[in-house]
Amino acid sequence: MKLGRLPRLLCAGAPLAMFAAVAVAAPGVDGGRPLAFAQLTIEQSLIVRVPRRTPAKPLKWKSKKGPKCVAMSSIAGAAVVADDAIDLALRGGQRLRAQFSSRCPALDYYSGFYILPTEDGRICADRDMIRTRAGGQCEIKRFRKLVPDD
C-alpha cells in the first residue's frame, strides 16, 4: 500500500482502515522506527427541534378537573400557552393543561422546556417541575383536562 492512499482511507471514515493503513505504511516511510498508534473517539448527539405552530382556526377550550399525575410515556407533544401554563397533547388525542404555582416567564424565551425523568415514570402536580432551557424551574400546581368548547 502506498502512502498516497492514506488520506483517502481516512476520509472514508473507516477506523479499521485507518489502523491498517498506519500499520502497513509506517515501516516503509520512516525506515523501521517503532509504530505509533492513535485512538479515535467519535461522539454523536441528536437534537430534535419541534417548531411551534398555531392552528389555522384557534379552538376554544373548556377546562375540567384533571388527574394528579400523568405518565411521561403518554405525552405526545406540548405547547407553551401562557407564562403560567403549558398544554400537553397526550397519545389518543386527550389534552391537559399543566398550571404552575407561579409565573414562569422564561418558558417562551428559548421556545422550550424539558422534564427530568422520575423513578415512577410519571409527572405529578405538587411534586414535579418543568425546567426551562434558560435554567429556570416552574413547579406544576395542578393538571386540568381540556375539552373543546362547543
Side-chain angles (χ1 to χ4, degrees):
M1 177 181 283
K2 293 182 180 178
L3 186 58
R5 294 188 61 165
L6 183 60
R8 185 171 162 212
L9 289 172
L10 289 174
C11 292
L16 291 177
M18 181 181 70
F19 176 76
V22 171
V24 174
V29 173
D30 58 9
R33 289 195 318 199
L35 293 176
F37 296 97
Q39 181 176 350
L40 175 65
T41 303
I42 299 173
E43 293 183 18
Q44 179 177 339
S45 65
L46 176 64
I47 298 173
V48 178
R49 297 194 190 272
V50 179
R52 185 172 16 142
R53 297 184 183 173
T54 56
K57 178 185 169 193
L59 293 174
K60 301 283 184 181
W61 298 100
K62 184 171 29 174
S63 66
K64 296 186 174 187
K65 184 176 178 177
K68 175 83 173 157
C69 296
V70 179
M72 286 186 180
S73 60
S74 69
I75 298 174
V80 177
V81 294
D83 61 358
D84 66 345
I86 59 171
D87 284 359
L88 302 173
L90 305 180
R91 298 185 197 288
Q94 187 179 18
R95 288 186 175 252
L96 295 176
R97 178 161 289 160
Q99 294 179 327
F100 304 130
S101 57
S102 63
R103 289 184 59 237
C104 195
L107 269 177
D108 204 28
Y109 186 72
Y110 283 114
S111 298
F113 58 89
Y114 61 97
I115 302 169
L116 294 178
T118 58
E119 287 184 21
D120 62 358
R122 301 183 318 162
I123 304 168
C124 295
D126 291 325
R127 182 188 80 174
D128 295 318
M129 297 186 189
I130 300 293
R131 301 190 191 294
T132 67
R133 292 181 59 205
Q137 298 178 351
C138 308
E139 183 181 6
I140 299 171
K141 180 173 71 173
R142 66 181 175 180
F143 290 106
R144 301 290 291 174
K145 184 177 179 180
L146 298 178
V147 292
D149 191 17
D150 297 328

